[in-house]
Amino acid sequence: MRQEQIQELIEIAEKQLVYAYAPYSGFKVGTALLTESGKIYTGCNIENSAYTPTNCAERTAFFKAVSEGEKQFQAICVLGGKDGKPESYTPPCGVCRQVMTEFCDPEQFQIILAINKKDYKIYKLSELMPLSFYL
Ligand code: THU
């Protein structure tokens, strides 16, 4: 990925932190999902008082995109932290990795784990989700 594109995704994911609805954990997550055609869908986590209906920021972005007809993706940037202040990487949970597996090529799709614009790591989906289940 181009450096400017990585920086743009991090910047957009950071801006989503203000929308995160996390009154129970206090842990806010923001995402920016880049489609194959270059469009960016954003996401934040949305918690619920019954806990299990909580939706992670990654799935929010994926479901927004898929519900608008997108099915091909290049990369997602994820960042998060207590009270919306990222201090370490926020790797996607297992459920979100499974959702990514549904729509993304494990060798092509890139997951950018960021703390800020200077501190980030990039993984292929296959590294975070080896031996995944897919029909
Ligand atoms: N969360 C995400 O949104 N994405 C992740 O990658 C990990 C966890 C959310 C779910 C919940 O609202 C909060 O972070 C604490 O688990």
Side-chain angles (χ1 to χ4, degrees), residues 1-2 5 9 33-39 62 71-76 103-105 108-112 123:
M1 286 190 74
R2 286 186 294 109
Q5 207 156 33
L9 288 176
L33 174 64
L34 180 65
T35 70
E36 204 59 60
S37 63
K39 209 167 158 186
F62 266 91
K71 287 200 183 54
Q72 290 186 305
F73 303 100
Q74 296 185 47
I76 190 167
F103 297 105
C104 306
D105 180 334
Q108 299 299 324
F109 188 68
Q110 303 200 297
I111 299 161
I112 304 161
Y123 293 91

Side-chain angles (χ1 to χ4, degrees), residues 33-101:
L33 174 64
L34 180 65
T35 70
E36 204 59 60
S37 63
K39 209 167 158 186
I40 296 170
Y41 286 84
T42 57
C44 65
N45 54 331
I46 305 166
E47 297 186 346
N48 188 279
S49 60
Y51 294 172
T52 51
T54 292
N55 206 53
C56 291
E58 295 88 329
R59 275 176 288 145
T60 301
F62 266 91
F63 294 160
K64 281 169 70 179
V66 174
S67 71
E68 293 188 18
E70 302 285 350
K71 287 200 183 54
Q72 290 186 305
F73 303 100
Q74 296 185 47
I76 190 167
C77 173
V78 189
L79 50 78
K82 199 83 185 151
D83 302 320
K85 294 181 192 71
E87 284 172 356
S88 58
Y89 300 120
T90 301
C93 79
V95 173
C96 289
R97 293 180 201 204
Q98 183 66 33
V99 168
M100 291 174 193
T101 299

